Amino acid sequence: MNNDNKINDFVVRFANVNGTGSASANFLFTKAIFRMGIPVTPKNIFPSNIQGLPTWYEVRVSEKGYLGRRKGIDLMVAVNPQSMLQDVKSVRRGGYFLYDSSKKLHSEFIREDINYLGIPLMEMCNAAYTDARQRQLFKNIIYVGALAALLDIDFKEFEGLLAEQFKGKEKLIPANIKALTLGMDYVKANFKYPLEFKLERRDLVGDSIMIDGNTACGLGAVYAGATVAAWYPITPSTSVVEAFSDYAHEYRVDPVTGKSNVAIVQAEDELAAIGMVIGANWNGARSFTATSGPGLSLMNEFLGLAYFAEIPTVLIDVQRTGPSTGMPTRTQQSDIMEAAYASHGDTKHVLLFPASPKECFDMTVEAFDLAEGLQTPIMLMTDLDLGMNDHVSPPLVWDDKRAYKRGKVLDAEALDKIEKFGRYKDVDGDGIPYRTIPATHPTKGSYFTRGTSRDEYAAYTEDSGAYQYNMDRLIKKWNTAKDMVPAPQVYQEKNTNESGILFFGTSTYAAEEALDILKENDIPMDAIRIKSFPFNKTVEDFIHSHDKVYVIEQNRDGQLKSLLTIELGINPDKLISVLNYDGTPITAEVILRQISNKFASDSHIQKAKAV
């Protein structure tokens, strides 16, 4: 590590034991930095069991506002003997290793090229507290206090945060202040402080907030007008519906009766959950479910029904690693192909790819409008990193004048003007038929909803011509959707470089950082961020205007590359996969290394290898 002063630019990693109460202490550390106006991003890397196994919490501080994960640990806080050997190895040369010196550090954990900060955390806790649980919990707070001195964190930020956290329980505050002070005082008495890398107050976060994507999705569903949520718990999507429930029971209460205006049903499995959602939407409610890859697999049959019967449906897929159970608490972008073509036969589904909590909120709202506008399932493809980790995000904004877009729904007055209602008739030439909601009219507008072939009037038929007409109309609707879904983000006014980078979702953070590094090394590249599927003409034009396009994604098989090749007829040799599938969020270093390795003979690209 470079020993020059590094202000607001380093990575701290906490190595803890799952279930020991470390999460709140580590987040207290993160929030204090955020309150100092400094961009910061935490990543919680935790096991799928309830407690006992190693867990890590990484905090990146970036003056430049880079919010992706970064390779290399500048300061390791190691309080878990199980992972200590691995933790020692992960520290950058010249970095720091903070450990509990209540017991002597074994020689196998000693490196000559890093610095050691031994603090007798357990001894201090045993001396200061008598309750066993308190000793465990406050050990975490003591090391946060030590970091406050080592990194020059403004102590008043902790005081303010504790006051907020324990509002109504003020008697708990002094004990936490005591633990923080114990850590600070020990550092001041035993070490040179602050370290050569430290924090300085800035005004770089503006009106940003810290929020996780699942919470933003749950709140978005409330603002979207959802009144029914049916789900089956599965990591990492469970907190989507939990957040929806919390907000709905606060904001969706009848002012007269005091009763909740929402129905939240925990189904017996994922198949039942999506069935309930489809039924509620068919009946006119705005309904949704949340799941992850294994749940999406189980929902395939009903998704095919919703596609073919053309019933609005919203599904939030918080992706994790697979196949099968995989690593349930690790992140990936590995459900892309499964979601795009869920179900059997010729089926295509609209996908949305948020990259931030704000987009989770905005796109959840948009998903409900699109589902009703297109009369089809809409899947919001987030992932564990975005869903369960806290992110610095622009504030969530809602316009009270915004009206829900219910799409082509006929009311009683409109039905009176129609001689014969054709549920699956293409009246306007856009492939989207008109629909009705049950009980709209006493005699008109009813139809049989079926998953079997039918004619324009919803009458059962196996006539080849009627079936083909319907399938062709669905493709016409698919092409209409291309101009209705969120447009891609293009990073330049004109495509001027030979090579381009294409990315989506949480790969955005690392990709944007990699772009900056490439530019600094005189290797400019054009870039585009995909926000939705189907792909519109902008995506196709971007690819055709470059000799090579690096497709960055977090899965093994290059699923987005495959989707681009299938849907746009792109020569696969033109698309170069840049992949990360170890279950941790992709980094700029991974992107740069793979780009340089794929074109090692290119002297310009080779410059990036040294970065």
Side-chain angles (χ1 to χ4, degrees):
M1 178 181 160
N2 190 333
N3 285 327
D4 294 337
N5 283 345
K6 297 184 70 176
I7 308 301
N8 301 336
D9 184 17
F10 53 86
V11 174
V12 178
R13 192 179 210 196
F14 300 86
N16 302 104
V17 178
N18 199 35
T20 57
S22 60
S24 59
N26 297 342
F27 190 41
L28 180 68
F29 170 77
T30 300
K31 288 189 290 185
I33 298 172
F34 178 71
R35 291 289 179 88
M36 289 177 67
I38 305 166
V40 59
T41 182
K43 303 292 182 189
N44 194 14
I45 304 168
F46 59 101
S48 55
N49 75 329
I50 296 175
Q51 72 178 59
L53 289 181
T55 181
W56 293 271
Y57 186 86
E58 258 178 41
V59 180
R60 182 181 183 183
V61 180
S62 174
E63 178 93 359
K64 294 182 177 180
Y66 293 134
L67 299 178
R69 187 165 173 257
R70 196 205 74 186
K71 180 183 177 182
I73 308 302
D74 299 307
L75 172 58
M76 171 65 73
V77 180
V79 291
N80 183 6
Q82 294 180 58
S83 63
M84 195 165 284
L85 186 60
Q86 176 183 346
D87 297 331
V88 167
K89 292 178 179 178
S90 68
V91 180
R92 303 178 85 177
R93 182 177 300 176
Y96 289 82
F97 187 80
L98 190 158
Y99 67 99
D100 186 352
S101 60
S102 300
K103 293 183 179 180
K104 185 178 179 181
L105 195 64
H106 193 277
S107 59
E108 68 177 337
F109 302 134
I110 303 299
R111 283 175 51 188
E112 298 298 328
D113 59 345
I114 64 174
N115 305 289
Y116 288 83
L117 301 168
I119 300 177
L121 298 171
M122 190 51 69
E123 283 184 11
M124 294 167 71
C125 283
N126 290 341
Y129 306 100
T130 56
D131 180 77
R133 181 59 176 164
Q134 280 191 335
R135 286 173 172 173
Q136 179 60 62
L137 293 175
F138 285 122
K139 182 174 76 169
N140 303 322
I141 303 297
I142 289 174
Y143 68 61
V144 172
L147 293 175
L150 290 168
L151 301 174
D152 207 13
I153 301 176
D154 192 338
F155 193 79
K156 71 179 182 181
E157 299 299 350
F158 291 118
E159 294 174 327
L161 289 166
L162 291 172
E164 294 174 14
Q165 181 178 345
F166 296 115
K167 187 176 181 180
K169 301 178 181 179
E170 284 76 11
K171 64 180 182 180
L172 299 176
I173 295 176
N176 282 273
I177 295 294
K178 176 183 176 181
L180 287 168
T181 304
L182 283 172
M184 290 183 66
D185 289 347
Y186 189 89
V187 167
K188 292 176 179 179
N190 293 277
F191 302 113
K192 181 181 177 181
Y193 69 95
L195 302 180
E196 64 270 12
F197 55 93
K198 60 181 181 178
L199 297 162
E200 285 185 1
R201 185 175 291 277
R202 294 285 189 267
D203 186 15
L204 298 174
V205 299
D207 60 353
S208 296
I209 60 174
M210 287 203 79
I211 187 173
D212 64 87
N214 282 358
T215 297
C217 285
L219 186 58
V222 172
Y223 274 84
T227 56
V228 178
W231 66 304
Y232 185 79
I234 181 173
T235 301
S237 71
T238 299
S239 56
V240 172
V241 179
E242 289 176 343
F244 174 75
S245 177
D246 290 343
Y247 286 119
H249 286 115
E250 183 174 356
Y251 298 116
R252 285 291 177 83
V253 177
D254 188 292
V256 178
T257 65
K259 293 183 178 180
S260 175
N261 285 330
V262 297
I264 301 171
V265 183
Q266 181 176 326
E268 61 267 32
D269 55 32
E270 288 88 350
L271 186 61
I274 191 69
M276 293 174 187
V277 168
I278 292 170
N281 277 296
W282 175 86
N283 205 44
R286 284 195 155 191
S287 179
F288 78 102
T289 189
T291 192
S292 192
L296 179 61
S297 296
L298 292 172
M299 294 177 180
N300 264 233
E301 183 177 357
F302 263 142
L303 286 168
L305 170 65
Y307 171 81
F308 196 55
E310 296 178 76
I311 303 171
T313 304
V314 173
L315 188 156
I316 299 169
D317 178 17
V318 189
Q319 298 169 89
R320 69 189 205 188
T321 63
S324 189
T325 306
M327 293 191 292
T329 58
R330 296 293 191 267
T331 193
Q332 267 188 10
Q333 297 171 315
S334 54
D335 295 347
I336 306 304
M337 293 295 288
E338 178 188 15
Y341 303 123
S343 192
H344 50 278
D346 293 324
T347 311
K348 294 184 181 183
H349 296 294
V350 175
L351 312 180
L352 306 181
F353 303 117
S356 68
K358 185 180 188 308
E359 287 192 344
C360 284
F361 176 84
D362 293 339
M363 287 188 178
T364 297
V365 175
E366 190 166 8
F368 284 90
D369 283 351
L370 285 169
E372 294 200 293
L374 290 166
Q375 301 173 30
T376 198
I378 306 293
M379 286 182 252
L380 189 75
M381 307 299 292
T382 176
D383 58 35
L384 184 146
D385 178 24
L386 178 54
M388 295 192 72
N389 284 322
D390 292 283
H391 294 259
V392 175
S393 172
L396 312 183
V397 179
W398 178 258
D399 183 358
D400 286 332
K401 296 179 182 178
R402 175 171 178 164
Y404 300 143
K405 299 176 182 178
R406 304 304 304 264
K408 295 182 176 182
V409 181
L410 296 175
D411 58 17
E413 184 180 355
L415 285 169
D416 278 332
K417 298 176 182 178
I418 297 175
E419 183 176 343
K420 187 177 182 181
F421 170 57
R423 171 62 182 97
Y424 298 107
K425 192 172 185 178
D426 186 5
V427 176
D428 302 318
D430 58 4
I432 304 172
Y434 285 83
R435 66 186 178 109
T436 58
I437 293 172
T440 295
H441 194 284
T443 59
K444 291 184 174 183
S446 61
Y447 63 95
F448 195 95
T449 305
R450 61 177 82 244
T452 52
S453 181
R454 69 275 166 157
D455 65 14
E456 294 170 295
Y457 298 97
Y460 173 76
T461 180
E462 294 187 18
D463 176 75
S464 298
Y467 170 80
Q468 188 167 336
Y469 165 84
N470 196 54
M471 293 300 288
D472 290 344
R473 181 183 56 76
L474 287 170
I475 282 297
K476 188 183 292 184
K477 181 169 73 169
W478 179 254
N479 290 325
T480 298
K482 293 178 181 179
D483 294 322
M484 294 175 65
V485 297
Q489 177 183 352
V490 180
Y491 286 73
Q492 58 285 325
E493 290 186 12
K494 293 183 178 180
N495 298 323
T496 57
N497 295 292
E498 292 183 0
S499 298
I501 294 181
L502 184 151
F503 47 89
F504 68 106
T506 49
S507 300
T508 300
Y509 300 110
E512 290 178 343
E513 183 177 357
L515 279 169
D516 284 351
I517 295 172
L518 287 165
K519 186 176 180 180
E520 289 169 2
N521 286 268
D522 298 321
I523 315 169
M525 287 193 182
D526 297 329
I528 187 171
R529 175 163 73 94
I530 303 294
K531 291 187 179 183
S532 60
F533 174 69
F535 310 122
N536 68 12
K537 193 172 185 301
T538 303
V539 178
E540 191 171 3
D541 290 345
F542 179 87
I543 295 173
H544 284 309
S545 65
H546 295 92
D547 294 338
K548 305 184 192 76
V549 175
Y550 299 91
V551 182
I552 301 169
E553 46 188 319
Q554 299 181 68
N555 55 68
R556 184 195 67 182
D557 294 339
Q559 294 185 26
L560 183 65
K561 174 186 172 180
S562 296
L563 204 57
L564 290 163
T565 302
I566 293 168
E567 294 295 324
L568 301 181
I570 303 295
N571 180 352
D573 293 337
K574 191 171 191 174
L575 302 177
I576 314 299
S577 288
V578 175
L579 306 175
N580 182 74
Y581 48 92
D582 64 0
T584 62
I586 193 170
T587 66
E589 290 88 351
V590 166
I591 294 171
L592 294 170
R593 183 176 67 250
Q594 290 192 41
I595 290 176
S596 64
N597 286 344
K598 290 176 188 300
F599 288 90
S601 61
D602 188 323
S603 60
H604 293 290
I605 297 294
Q606 192 67 13
K607 290 181 182 179
K609 202 167 187 177
V611 177

